[in-house]
Amino acid sequence: MKASINYVGKSPMAAGMRVEFENIRPCKKKHSNSSYFSMVAIEESRKTVTVPSLILSTKMDIKRFIKSIIRRESEAKKKVSLNSIYKNVDEQLKDNRMKIDFKYKSHFFSETAFIFFTNY
């Protein structure tokens, strides 16, 4: 597994991970999967704290940094789009066959909606 910090803001950071598997007999490595995750630096009082600047020393570092910025912008646009859908959820779901049940209580969340696809 390989990992790198691809982006830092004032407090947020974005990391990328690449997982490879190796076939021992022919000594070949193959890419299995990649993932990206974001985190925010906080202090003990749970307030955000400024992180050091990221030093970009290779062209690959620069490429990863730019791709992280694009990914962040894309996620922000997607969030705005989804928020408008959530505000008009009845309109969005009117032609779909399903039942929404808010009565189920999950041990993870205080109230969780489950969507059941049925033959109504």
Side-chain angles (χ1 to χ4, degrees), residues 24-108:
I24 298 172
R25 301 249 173 170
C27 294
K28 287 187 177 180
K29 289 184 181 181
K30 290 192 175 185
H31 178 251
S32 171
N33 62 300
S34 295
S35 63
Y36 303 96
F37 66 97
S38 298
M39 52 196 146
V40 175
I42 58 171
E43 57 187 18
E44 287 184 32
S45 66
R46 313 254 329 143
K47 292 184 180 179
T48 58
V49 61
T50 302
V51 295
S53 298
L54 184 62
I55 298 171
L56 306 175
S57 57
T58 67
K59 286 185 178 182
M60 183 57 75
D61 291 344
I62 295 167
K63 179 181 173 183
R64 288 181 182 139
F65 187 81
I66 292 168
K67 286 177 80 174
S68 292
I69 291 170
I70 293 167
R71 195 175 302 109
R72 286 174 58 85
E73 290 170 350
S74 174
E75 287 296 319
K77 288 177 187 175
K78 187 177 5 175
K79 186 176 180 179
V80 169
S81 176
L82 287 174
N83 282 340
S84 70
I85 290 171
Y86 296 150
K87 288 178 184 175
N88 302 311
V89 71
D90 292 335
E91 182 66 27
Q92 295 291 328
L93 299 177
K94 72 177 182 181
D95 296 328
N96 294 290
R97 296 173 17 189
M98 73 180 78
K99 176 184 176 185
I100 299 175
D101 183 0
F102 285 102
K103 295 174 186 165
Y104 180 82
K105 295 285 186 179
S106 169
H107 64 281
F108 294 112

